[in-house]
Amino acid sequence: MNRKRRTRGWGMVELESGLPTSIRALQVSGDDIRARRLAADGCEILFVTARAGAELPSHDHTTDNATVIIAGGMVLVTDSGERKVGPGQWYQTRAGEQHALRFEADTLQIELRFDVPGTEAPGK
């Protein structure tokens, strides 16, 4: 019997192995959604890989965020509705804006978080 193997996009291992060595060397947090954090004054950068089917429930941040999808895809859920975001596309969330994420495929994204005056800085 000839069975085709089902795949869900690139696969987490392939996505992570494509990251530069200096980024792969950063400390990792999470399982189905994994983040590597690089911090600087006033901002931080997260290199995030997520498994297909992973979800982040509604949450907010104390930072203004700009995120670009490198590979895969996800659905951003805000008070304005749902928006599919794919490779090469950006989405933004403002400090205090509630949002949820549903990853439709194994996904690599880069999230830029910028401090907002008057709010607590990330990791501090």
Side-chain angles (χ1 to χ4, degrees):
M1 182 183 304
N2 187 7
R3 293 186 192 184
K4 288 187 177 181
R5 184 174 164 221
R6 290 180 52 143
T7 60
R8 295 185 287 183
W10 289 85
M12 292 261 298
V13 171
E14 290 85 0
L15 288 175
E16 291 182 347
S17 67
L19 292 171
T21 304
S22 56
I23 294 172
R24 286 195 321 266
L26 296 171
Q27 183 175 352
V28 177
S29 63
D31 291 315
D32 285 341
I33 301 172
R34 297 166 51 101
R36 289 173 167 81
R37 180 178 175 266
L38 180 62
D41 287 341
C43 68
E44 67 180 356
I45 302 168
L46 298 178
F47 301 89
V48 179
T49 52
R51 292 190 190 283
E55 296 185 1
L56 276 177
S58 187
H59 64 285
D60 66 355
H61 301 275
T62 59
T63 53
D64 284 342
N65 300 349
T67 305
V68 63
I69 304 296
I70 304 302
M74 47 78 69
V75 176
L76 171 68
V77 182
T78 66
D79 289 342
S80 300
E82 295 188 359
R83 176 180 160 213
K84 287 189 175 194
V85 187
Q89 295 180 316
W90 288 85
Y91 68 90
Q92 294 182 329
T93 56
R94 298 288 177 215
E97 179 182 359
Q98 290 289 317
H99 60 284
L101 306 174
R102 288 194 320 263
F103 294 91
E104 295 185 323
D106 292 335
T107 300
L108 170 61
Q109 66 180 28
I110 300 173
E111 181 175 337
L112 309 170
R113 294 182 176 180
F114 299 96
D115 291 351
V116 175
T119 62
E120 185 177 327
K124 296 182 181 167

